[in-house]
Each structure stands twice: as structure tokens, then as C-alpha cells.
Amino acid sequence: MHCDFDTLPPRVLTRIFEYLFWTGLCGDHRAEQMVLPIGQFAMLACLSVSHAWRKRAAGLFYRTAVVAVGASDTVMTASGEHRVRTNVRLVLESGYAPKTTRLAVFSIGSMMPEDLDECLVASEFASFEWPSIDTLYFYHPLGPENEEPALRDQDEPIDSVNRHLIASMPNLERIYTLSGTCDSFGLFALDDLINERMPYLNSLTAVAQGPLKLGFHGSAYLLKRLTMSTVDPTLAMHALLTDNDSIASSGEESEDSERQREHLMPLTVPRVFAESLVQLDIGPIEPDNIWSQFFGINGASGNPDIFTAPDFVCLRRLRLVFGLPRCLRASDSRRKARHASRQHASPGPENTVVNGIYPVFPRLESLTVEHYPYNILLFLENFPRARLRYLELRKCPHRFFELSLGVFTSLQTAIIDVPRAPHASKSEDEEAWISCAFAEKMPTLRSLSLVTSSILYQVDLPSQHYNLNQLQRLHLGISMRAMEVAKLLFELPQLRSLYLEITNVMSAAHEYLSRSVHPKKYPGIFTRATLSSSLEELAVRLVDLSPHRSRRALSKTAYAAARIPSILRISTQAEYVDDLRATIVKVQATKLPHVDARHLDTVQLHSLVT
């Protein structure tokens, strides 16, 4: 049987090879914090399919030199046998070396810095100068097999790796690195390389598995994209803040929270010219002195000056993850912590820079703030709220319930992690804020995500009409009743994707009221043959439901899907997929008045990703 692979359109071939290049055959996502060409060798077989395939794949394959340390392949050198897989020799022999623009160095398994050093030499990459390489991908995570005492003796191999990379790539402009290794001084593995190239870098991504410490000696004048963070700081910081609440009440600190506190020490940011930045993603950082490491242009000379207040005139995307301020550390008493919280309720003098001038962000479009411990309302006033298109707030409890999304008049995407109420007696503030969010006038909003984990009862959405007529994606990670699905679809006519969490009611009386009141509260909904003509994806997560109530919630979901002719996909937990399928079959066999359920034959059922 003959198959003509050359008939595939060139654009389709390019997309196939790009997917293989970045994820590999198995969809490997080992480095979620950074973009990494992990599937370079998965493209090797594509070069032998046909001339058309080779023409499309050769550019990606040969323009990236790869050194995979710890692979199953072995290379014999004068110093012995080394486990490394590389295409450096193929690149040199093919004549593509002058066109090679990227180097990818990553370890498979738990490899030590001395292994990286030996494999850079064994692959012959360190034997040549690559003047056209301007991008480095360096992926060296610290595995569970590595022991801290063994890493303390790696100063010389780490220094050797940096020397090889500095000498081999004299025109390096972009560095993307994830590493769990540091030297005996606690400095990041590629600290020497970053310091050497800092004045010439356009993009820097430094992600660490421990405290990120870089010993900067120079300033960055050309940097456009800066990302500095620790691996998965959100979860660890959430646990840290939870521990801090218990510390404030008990005055004691556990060993686990102390280790987390040490792991998330605020990082040191280099001296950066603010007016060249387009994207900034840093954290955890001290909330008391955010902008001190950024500088602007001297008005008299017109040149960058480290003593001039910064203006982020080109910045479009900003993400700030805050660590605990010094005043809220465990070493301070509860009284001092309360006093500091009141003292620094606004950005205040600690957040100003030169001569009390706060920086401006005239082109900012995307803003993400996580774990800001002070007044979030005053902090947001420093940004162009009428210009923002993307807003994400996570764990910013102070004065949060006074926040109104209506002031963000150009907002298109909002992701809000509703914090826990400061006092148990004010838990109704959370439900009131969520209800008011649906009443806000936001005509430009297309995607809304509201998540909370502290509400112990169902959120009762407002009965009046919503003002989110243009909303297309809605993610509600809050406790709701299955009855609310019809109300949401009825009020949001443009909705295409909906995610809900269905939970148990508080009591039998509450359940009785929900049955009797809802038809009066939402007139016209239960008699409509079509709930929505735009919804394509419905995801339902069942939380803390008994088997009987789970079956009932699945039944309501299936009956709602029968009244949505545009539905394409329904998702729920893996343990409920079979029950949902059986319920849909039962609904199809039932003759519903004025409802045509034939579209359920083509509905796809998926398992929710945990």
C-alpha cells in the first residue's frame, strides 16, 4: 500500500514538527515553568520519510544543538564512557553549524554538575566556538536521589560548565534555565554565565528549585523579558501563609514551616533598565521595596542612569509574587506584626523609589499579583486600571472585599482567587462579593474565573439579571447547587465554556426551599426547551456528595445537556464518567416534551484533570 506523505500541506507539516520539537512523541512536559525543546530527537525519524519532510524538519533539527545528559546512548572518549545523547556531530558534519542558533542542555534523571561538565566535552560542543548561537535552554533539576552533602563538592564542575558555555557562545542573548543546583555559596548554577552576559541579554528566565540567589556585578540595559522565580511558588507560599496565621495565634513555628520559609527567601533582582522591559515575572520578592532595582533615563543627558526613577513605558505583562515581609517573620511578636500591618497598609515610603516618585505603566495590559500582604486596593491604584485586559489576583486578603471589578473598563480576562474572610463571623462577605461580581457592568469581559476553598455552604447567585452578556468562558471553583446551571445558561447567552463545582446542601430544609423557591425565583427557565445555543463545553466536579446525591446531580447535568443543542463535550471526575454515560442514554430513551435530544449521540465525555 502506497501512502503519499508529500500531499500534506506545508503548514500542517510545520505544525507537526513544532509539536514534536517542543513536547516529543509522548507529550513530555518536564519543565512547565519554561519552554524547553524536549522532543528534539523525536524528529530524527521524520528526516528519513521523504525529501519534503526533511526539508521542513531539517531547520528545527539542525538549528538546535542538543546535549542530553544521562541518556541511554553512550559516547567513548579518552576520559572514559559517558551517557550522553547529542546531535552536535551531525550538525558539524551537515554544515549547519553556522546556522545553529540554539543550544539545549538537559539532564535525564538525576545527574550531577560534574556529569554536565564531562558531557559538554564528550559531545565536542565545548571544543568549538558557536558565534551564531544566541539562545540557551538549560534544564538541570535536582532529583530526589541527589543528596545535599554531595552537591557541596561541585564548585569546580559548576565553574567549569560556566567557562565552557561562556567561551563557546560569545553572542548569547537569551537564557532559559531551570536548575536545582547551587554552589557552596548558595549561588545559582549559571551565575557566572548570567553575570558575563547580563549587559547584552534580551531575555532571562531563571527558575530555581531552592532559594534563587544570583551575585550580580553589572546592570542590564537591553533586557526585554525577565522571569525569576522558584518552582511552584504558589502552593508553597499558600502553605506558608496558612502556617503564618497559626503562628500569629500560637506564637510558635513548626519545623516544616521553617523549611518552607527558608526555601522561599526573597530573591535578589539585578539592576535593570526599566524602559526596555516588555515582560516582567519575578517572585517571591519583598513587598516593602519593590522597584529599587529598576532605573530609568536621566532627563538631562538622555542616557540610562541607575539613580533615576524608573518608568516602565514598554511593559505589557507584569507578574509579581510576594514573600512574607520582614515585619511578619516568625521572629517578631504578634503585636509587632499587627503594628507593621497597619503601618504598611498602603505602598507607603518603602515602595517609592527616587525622590518619592512612583513608576508609571502606560502600556500595561496584563497584571498578576500573588500574596500581596498589604492593602490591595491602594496597590492596584498604581496601575492603569482602565487599560488592563488581563487581571489575576491570588491570595491578596487585605481589603479585598472592597474591590470592584467594574473599574477595569477594558478587562477581557479575570482570574480571582477569593481569599478567606478575616473573621469567621464575616464569612458572608465572600458570598456577597461573588454575587456582586455578576452584577458588575463589564461589557468587555470574555473570561471569568472565581475560585475559593473556604466557603462551607453553597453560593446563592443573585436573582436579578447579570451584566456579563458578552462572557464566553466561566470557571466557578465555588460550592454551588446543580439547580444554578440553568440560571447561568439563561443569563449568559454567549457562554461557550462552563466549569462548576456541585456540592451538598446544608440541610433538608434548605433542599426543600431550593426546590420550591427556584421556579418562582427564575420564572421561564424551567419551561424553556433550549437553555443555551452557544455552550460547547460543560465541566462538572462533584464535591462531597453521597452516592444518591451524586446520581441526582449527574441526572440534572444530563437533562440540562439535552436542552443545549450546541453541547460538544461534558467532563466530570473519572469515577463518574460511566454513570454519566448511562444517565445520558436514559435521557435519550425518555421522550421529553419540546426537547430534541438527538445531539447527545455525538457528545464527547472526558475525565477532569485533577
Side-chain angles (χ1 to χ4, degrees):
M1 179 179 178
H2 176 70
C3 181
D4 190 2
F5 292 100
D6 296 340
T7 58
L8 290 175
R11 293 178 61 185
V12 174
L13 285 176
T14 302
R15 293 295 298 271
I16 292 174
F17 299 144
E18 287 178 351
Y19 176 81
L20 292 175
F21 180 76
W22 295 108
T23 63
L25 288 173
C26 301
D28 193 349
H29 300 282
R30 278 178 275 180
E32 296 182 355
Q33 297 282 342
M34 55 181 290
V35 180
L36 182 74
I38 204 72
Q40 173 75 359
F41 295 109
M43 300 174 55
L44 192 58
C46 300
L47 300 176
S48 304
V49 174
S50 66
H51 289 290
W53 281 48
R54 181 179 181 85
K55 180 180 179 180
R56 293 288 171 179
L60 282 174
F61 183 82
Y62 289 110
R63 282 187 172 88
T64 303
V66 179
V67 179
V69 184
S72 56
D73 298 1
T74 58
V75 175
M76 292 298 300
T77 63
S79 60
E81 186 178 81
H82 301 281
R83 293 174 53 197
V84 57
R85 192 177 189 188
T86 178
N87 68 340
V88 173
R89 174 51 56 186
L90 291 175
V91 171
L92 293 172
E93 294 176 351
S94 64
Y96 271 86
K99 301 179 181 179
T100 302
T101 59
R102 291 176 289 219
L103 169 65
V105 180
F106 56 89
S107 61
I108 301 174
S110 299
M111 308 302 294
M112 303 295 288
E114 60 182 357
D115 300 319
L116 296 176
D117 181 36
E118 294 173 355
C119 290
L120 282 175
V121 177
S123 65
E124 301 184 38
F125 179 86
S127 303
F128 299 91
E129 185 177 290
W130 305 74
S132 58
I133 291 183
D134 56 12
T135 305
L136 169 65
Y137 299 95
F138 186 87
Y139 178 70
H140 182 223
L142 181 63
E145 297 84 359
N146 296 124
E147 298 181 358
E148 185 178 355
L151 291 175
R152 295 175 182 173
D153 302 327
Q154 298 294 313
D155 285 6
E156 185 174 348
I158 291 176
D159 183 61
S160 180
V161 169
N162 281 272
R163 288 200 308 269
H164 289 322
L165 296 178
I166 292 173
S168 300
M169 299 178 291
N171 297 319
L172 193 63
E173 297 179 356
R174 289 174 287 273
I175 299 178
Y176 305 93
T177 172
L178 184 149
S179 178
T181 307
C182 59
D183 61 13
S184 59
F185 298 96
L187 295 176
F188 194 61
L190 296 186
D191 178 70
D192 291 343
L193 174 65
I194 294 175
N195 270 298
E196 179 70 21
R197 300 302 306 170
M198 180 58 71
Y200 315 101
L201 286 180
N202 288 331
S203 179
L204 172 61
T205 297
V207 182
Q209 290 180 294
L212 180 56
K213 183 179 180 182
L214 293 169
F216 298 104
H217 304 298
S219 301
Y221 292 93
L222 304 177
L223 205 59
K224 295 182 179 180
R225 294 172 176 83
L226 174 61
T227 299
M228 298 178 64
S229 63
T230 58
V231 172
D232 200 5
T234 303
L235 296 178
M237 183 58 68
H238 172 59
L240 185 58
L241 291 178
T242 303
D243 291 339
N244 186 71
D245 294 338
S246 61
I247 293 169
S249 60
S250 64
E252 299 178 357
E253 183 173 22
S254 64
E255 296 181 1
D256 293 340
S257 61
E258 179 63 32
R259 283 193 293 267
Q260 290 175 344
R261 207 175 293 272
E262 180 182 358
H263 177 79
L264 290 172
M265 289 296 292
L267 55 85
T268 301
V269 181
R271 299 285 298 181
V272 179
F273 179 47
E275 299 198 10
S276 65
L277 280 174
V278 177
Q279 177 178 333
L280 178 61
D281 182 348
I282 53 176
I285 58 175
E286 287 279 2
D288 302 320
N289 195 5
I290 307 172
W291 313 114
S292 61
Q293 292 299 108
F294 300 91
F295 58 91
I297 292 181
N298 190 311
S301 64
N303 298 320
D305 183 11
I306 60 174
F307 300 105
T308 305
D311 285 335
F312 296 83
V313 295
C314 296
L315 192 67
R316 296 183 181 273
R317 290 178 294 276
L318 174 62
R319 179 174 179 264
L320 300 173
V321 180
F322 294 95
L324 286 179
R326 295 186 183 94
C327 56
L328 297 181
R329 301 285 168 80
S331 58
D332 290 334
S333 65
R334 184 180 179 183
R335 179 179 298 179
K336 289 183 178 180
R338 286 183 174 180
H339 175 72
S341 180
R342 290 193 299 267
Q343 182 181 1
H344 302 290
S346 63
E350 281 77 10
N351 281 341
T352 56
V353 280
V354 180
N355 298 326
I357 302 176
Y358 203 80
V360 296
F361 307 84
R363 297 186 180 181
L364 191 66
E365 298 178 353
S366 174
L367 174 63
T368 300
V369 181
E370 300 184 17
H371 310 291
Y372 186 67
Y374 302 145
N375 191 333
I376 187 62
L377 295 180
L378 294 179
F379 185 70
L380 291 177
E381 288 181 359
N382 297 286
F383 304 99
R385 293 173 293 179
R387 183 179 177 82
L388 288 178
R389 298 183 180 181
Y390 178 94
L391 175 65
E392 183 175 354
L393 300 177
R394 296 187 182 274
K395 301 296 185 297
C396 302
H398 192 64
R399 305 291 294 275
F400 173 84
F401 297 108
E402 301 177 22
L403 174 67
S404 173
L405 296 179
V407 298
F408 302 91
T409 55
S410 301
L411 198 62
Q412 296 182 2
T413 302
I415 301 176
I416 309 297
D417 191 341
V418 182
R420 182 176 54 191
H423 303 288
S425 59
K426 295 185 178 181
S427 57
E428 65 274 5
D429 292 348
E430 303 170 47
E431 182 180 11
W433 189 91
I434 294 174
S435 299
C436 291
F438 283 88
E440 295 278 5
K441 293 183 178 181
M442 293 181 285
T444 61
L445 193 65
R446 298 294 184 271
S447 178
L448 175 62
S449 176
L450 299 177
V451 180
T452 185
S453 58
S454 59
I455 297 180
L456 302 179
Y457 50 87
Q458 298 86 352
V459 173
D460 194 9
L461 297 180
S463 59
Q464 68 270 21
H465 292 297
Y466 303 161
N467 291 320
L468 307 176
N469 296 330
Q470 302 300 320
L471 196 66
Q472 297 180 2
R473 297 178 60 86
L474 178 60
H475 180 110
L476 294 178
I478 58 181
S479 304
M480 299 186 64
R481 294 186 296 273
M483 192 72 68
E484 299 286 354
V485 178
K487 169 64 174 176
L488 289 170
L489 297 177
F490 181 74
E491 291 289 347
L492 304 175
Q494 304 295 329
L495 200 63
R496 301 179 61 183
S497 177
L498 175 62
Y499 172 93
L500 295 173
E501 289 189 359
I502 307 300
T503 188
N504 199 0
V505 294
M506 291 296 292
S507 63
H510 194 174
E511 172 69 3
Y512 173 77
L513 291 175
S514 66
R515 292 180 182 178
S516 60
V517 173
H518 271 72
K520 299 178 182 179
K521 183 178 177 181
Y522 307 140
I525 295 180
F526 297 92
T527 59
R528 293 186 58 177
T530 301
L531 285 178
S532 174
S533 58
S534 62
L535 191 70
E536 299 177 355
E537 183 175 358
L538 175 62
V540 176
R541 181 181 296 276
L542 307 183
V543 181
D544 297 333
L545 290 180
S546 64
H548 170 70
R549 295 190 181 276
S550 298
R551 291 191 296 269
R552 183 180 174 189
L554 293 175
S555 177
K556 290 184 178 181
T557 302
Y559 277 96
R563 301 164 64 188
I564 307 174
S566 58
I567 192 74
L568 298 177
R569 293 175 297 276
I570 304 177
S571 304
T572 187
Q573 290 104 308
E575 59 268 26
Y576 297 121
V577 171
D578 293 336
D579 295 337
L580 179 60
R581 183 179 290 107
T583 305
I584 290 178
V585 173
K586 182 179 178 181
V587 171
Q588 289 177 296
T590 303
K591 294 184 179 180
L592 301 176
H594 310 294
V595 176
D596 186 2
R598 288 179 296 179
H599 62 278
L600 295 180
D601 294 334
T602 59
V603 170
Q604 302 176 6
L605 300 183
H606 297 275
S607 300
L608 284 175
V609 179
T610 57

